[in-house]
Amino acid sequence: MISDLDMMGRLALAALLGGFIGLERETRIQAAGLRTHMVVAIGAALVMLVSIRICDLTPGRSDPGRIAAQVVSGIGFLGAGAILRYGTSIKGLTTAACLWTAAGIGLACGMGFWRGALAATGL
């Protein structure tokens, strides 16, 4: 079982790393900045923590990836709303990709895969 301190650390790391991505977006005056990326990363980390907790409460009867997998499709749906077509050009594709990546970083933080989350954020 994950301790309360570990849980708070994972959520804080997700907020920090999502914030780094959002801050970079804000400095370039792009859509979906600091708050949006932080919220996406924190939400994804929380969903992962809930998934892990459900498995702790019902050993052998649940899969921690089932609930967390819905983050991938849900953020994909959210990102699709950020993509707009203007004639022959497309806007928002990078924003959608950033939101999807922030969700992945949040999931990684939630499951305690902080090295992967740090590497993804750095890249």
Side-chain angles (χ1 to χ4, degrees):
M1 186 179 323
I2 299 170
S3 71
D4 289 346
L5 186 59
D6 190 20
M7 176 195 60
M8 288 184 275
R10 292 177 186 196
L11 290 169
L13 181 60
L16 180 70
L17 297 180
F20 283 148
I21 293 172
L23 188 60
E24 187 273 337
R25 300 282 297 161
E26 273 194 15
T27 60
R28 296 174 188 264
I29 310 168
Q30 298 294 321
L34 177 72
R35 289 180 298 171
T36 303
H37 283 82
M38 284 178 73
V39 169
V40 166
I42 292 167
L46 181 61
V47 168
M48 189 72 233
L49 287 165
V50 168
S51 295
I52 292 169
R53 182 70 176 133
I54 288 171
C55 285
D56 287 345
L57 295 174
T58 58
R61 294 179 36 209
S62 59
D63 174 13
R66 280 184 61 202
I67 296 173
Q70 301 311 307
V71 170
V72 176
S73 59
I75 292 298
F77 180 77
L78 181 67
I83 300 170
L84 301 171
R85 183 174 163 206
Y86 295 103
T88 59
S89 67
I90 296 174
K91 296 271 189 186
L93 197 54
T94 303
T95 298
C98 285
L99 290 171
W100 191 79
T101 302
I105 290 167
L107 287 173
C109 290
M111 69 172 291
F113 186 46
W114 60 270
R115 286 186 182 120
L118 285 170
T121 303
L123 291 170

